Amino acid sequence: MSAHPVTPSAGPYPRYSVVGPVYNEATGLPEFYERTRAVLDSLGEPWELILVNDCSRDKSLEVMRRLAEADPRVKVIDFARNFGHQIAVTAGMDFARGDALVIIDTDLQDPPETIRALVEKWREGYEVVYAVRKTRPGETWFKLMTAKLFYRVIYRITDVDIPLDTGDFRLMDRRVVDAVTRMREHNRFIRGLTSWVGFRQTGVLYDRDARKYGSTNYPLRKMMKLAWDAVTGFSFFPLRLAIYAAGILFVLSVLAIPIVALLRLATGVQYLEGQATAVTIILLVASFQFLFFFVMGQYLARIYDEVRGRPLYIVADTFGFPGASGGQPGHRAVSAPPDSEAVASSPH
Ligand code: UDP
Ligand code: MG
């Protein structure tokens, strides 16, 4: 049984869209294209490969243009500046027209051959098929530890079941793509958004490869930002922490007064004496207060981001999309709302 009919909609839409964000991947891109093409060709249905140049500083754009010129199924979105991995993926999703969409890193850490297993599950009827990392060679001890901790904390404190040890490498059905692209929140955690929409979801195990060329573009700063986007986007737990801290400090302070007094009466020794104690306690409590200022600030900044209502990204140029305008999001009416970036990115 196939839950997804072969020709579900009119129009020359490809069956599969593969979206790959690109930031300084010039050396690896030809191999990425070759391996992805081989896999997609073997599926026997029309496909498109959408590469989003997140303002690379190397020759990535040149390589992408060459690929697009040689193969009309390759399409390129060129950002006006670096907007980050999650936004690059979002742009690719806006422009994609396939019945199934695959998000994949272009640094060959997500082996393109795994797409076959994702598609198999989709053909069985699942709307979201995420790739779960069985092994992760070539990562630092620090990255492995922080990633493990991150996924488990997110799992515990968020209201949606975001699967463990799963990156953005996944396949989504058109209905899921439409639902996710309709959510225009700025600080995006795409893994969370795809879990949040529901539908039938499943995972397939894969061995993540070490990075073959170049080095990671996710320094600690960007990982922290992603972690906060995940937490603030899907949980209010950090805000609730303040009440626990308040409760504990209150109980301690209520207990401290009689205890200190009784000890003084019983032993004659003055406990909690002097400036040192007072200074320590003040610093401790002040540090808690600033911590919660920070937590509130994280939520507040994100509210401000939404209120400004800026577009998620600005497109400088596109190559390989049909139509005189060079291609705009919303080839399928529902995939991009009329007030989306199409306006901001239209040719000047
Ligand atoms: N990437 C991007 N914009 C950025 C940083 C990364 O589009 O600002 C892309 C990058 O080209 C790669 C993917 O996002 O295809 C994952 O990045 P990276 O491999 O650096 O992260 P890691 O795998 O080390 O977590
Ligand atoms: Mg990588």
Side-chain angles (χ1 to χ4, degrees):
M1 181 210 76
S2 171
H4 308 288
V6 177
T7 47
S9 46
Y13 298 131
R15 184 72 158 151
Y16 304 106
S17 297
V18 174
V19 169
V22 178
Y23 182 63
N24 300 343
E25 309 284 5
T27 356
L29 266 179
E31 182 183 337
F32 169 79
Y33 163 74
E34 267 315 314
R35 284 170 59 182
T36 309
R37 185 193 57 76
V39 172
L40 293 173
D41 277 345
S42 77
L43 295 173
E45 287 174 286
W47 54 268
E48 63 180 356
L49 171 63
I50 300 181
L51 297 171
V52 186
N53 179 35
D54 196 6
C55 213
S56 300
R57 280 171 301 173
D58 66 354
K59 298 221 181 303
S60 295
L61 185 62
E62 257 177 70
V63 177
M64 291 156 79
R65 282 188 80 149
R66 251 188 286 126
L67 291 173
E69 277 161 18
D71 186 339
R73 295 166 300 183
V74 177
K75 294 152 190 183
V76 177
I77 301 167
D78 183 27
F79 273 180
R81 69 165 171 86
N82 181 272
F83 283 92
H85 169 235
Q86 299 285 303
I87 299 295
V89 169
T90 304
M93 291 174 70
D94 287 342
F95 280 73
R97 298 165 305 159
D99 300 318
L101 181 146
V102 174
I103 301 173
I104 186 169
D105 283 358
T106 53
D107 61 355
L108 291 166
Q109 283 199 281
D110 302 334
E113 292 71 27
T114 308
I115 293 175
R116 230 176 259 126
L118 301 180
V119 166
E120 229 161 78
K121 285 283 175 198
W122 177 64
R123 285 177 174 163
E124 280 175 29
Y126 291 98
E127 276 92 7
V128 175
V129 189
Y130 45 86
V132 185
R133 297 157 179 166
K134 199 161 53 175
T135 54
R136 265 188 108 167
E139 304 281 16
T140 60
W141 171 87
F142 181 73
K143 177 130 186 176
L144 290 180
M145 286 302 293
T146 47
K148 212 176 161 93
L149 184 74
F150 167 69
Y151 288 116
R152 272 141 195 89
V153 169
I154 296 299
Y155 189 79
R156 285 293 290 276
I157 69 170
T158 56
D159 314 320
V160 277
D161 282 341
I162 300 168
L164 295 170
D165 302 320
T166 304
D168 290 312
F169 188 18
R170 59 187 59 216
L171 179 147
M172 295 175 217
D173 185 77
R174 166 55 46 190
R175 283 170 286 172
V176 175
V177 175
D178 287 344
V180 169
T181 48
R182 257 202 307 270
M183 293 185 256
R184 305 312 287 178
E185 58 194 69
H186 283 70
N187 297 282
R188 303 173 80 74
F189 185 58
I190 290 170
R191 285 156 238 189
L193 296 178
T194 43
S195 298
W196 185 86
V197 297
F199 289 104
R200 283 160 294 179
Q201 312 216 352
T202 189
V204 297
L205 285 174
Y206 81 110
D207 293 301
R208 190 165 167 85
D209 288 334
R211 213 178 215 282
K212 237 176 154 173
Y213 312 95
S215 57
T216 177
N217 296 308
Y218 255 97
L220 187 62
R221 180 179 49 81
K222 280 191 192 170
M223 288 201 311
M224 297 284 285
K225 159 92 170 64
L226 189 69
W228 271 109
D229 288 344
V231 172
T232 54
F234 295 91
S235 170
F236 294 124
F237 179 74
L239 290 173
R240 280 208 309 273
L241 276 177
I243 190 67
Y244 301 133
I248 292 167
L249 288 176
F250 179 73
V251 171
L252 281 179
S253 63
V254 168
L255 289 178
I257 298 161
I259 287 175
V260 170
L262 286 175
L263 283 173
R264 174 72 197 266
L265 289 174
T267 64
V269 181
Q270 170 86 53
Y271 285 85
L272 292 185
E273 187 185 9
Q275 276 190 9
T277 316
V279 166
T280 311
I281 291 172
I282 288 170
L283 288 178
L284 183 77
V285 172
S287 74
F288 270 106
Q289 286 174 337
F290 282 117
L291 177 71
F292 290 117
F293 282 157
F294 167 78
V295 169
M296 284 197 292
Q298 288 290 317
Y299 286 86
L300 190 67
R302 282 162 177 78
I303 296 171
Y304 187 40
D305 245 348
E306 300 305 331
V307 170
R308 282 189 298 215
R310 292 181 186 168
L312 291 184
Y313 53 84
I314 305 290
V315 174
D317 223 336
T318 58
F319 313 101
F321 287 93
S325 69
Q328 294 296 338
H331 293 284
R332 289 199 170 179
V334 279
S335 73
D339 62 341
S340 80
E341 291 60 45
V343 183
S345 66
S346 56
H348 16 269

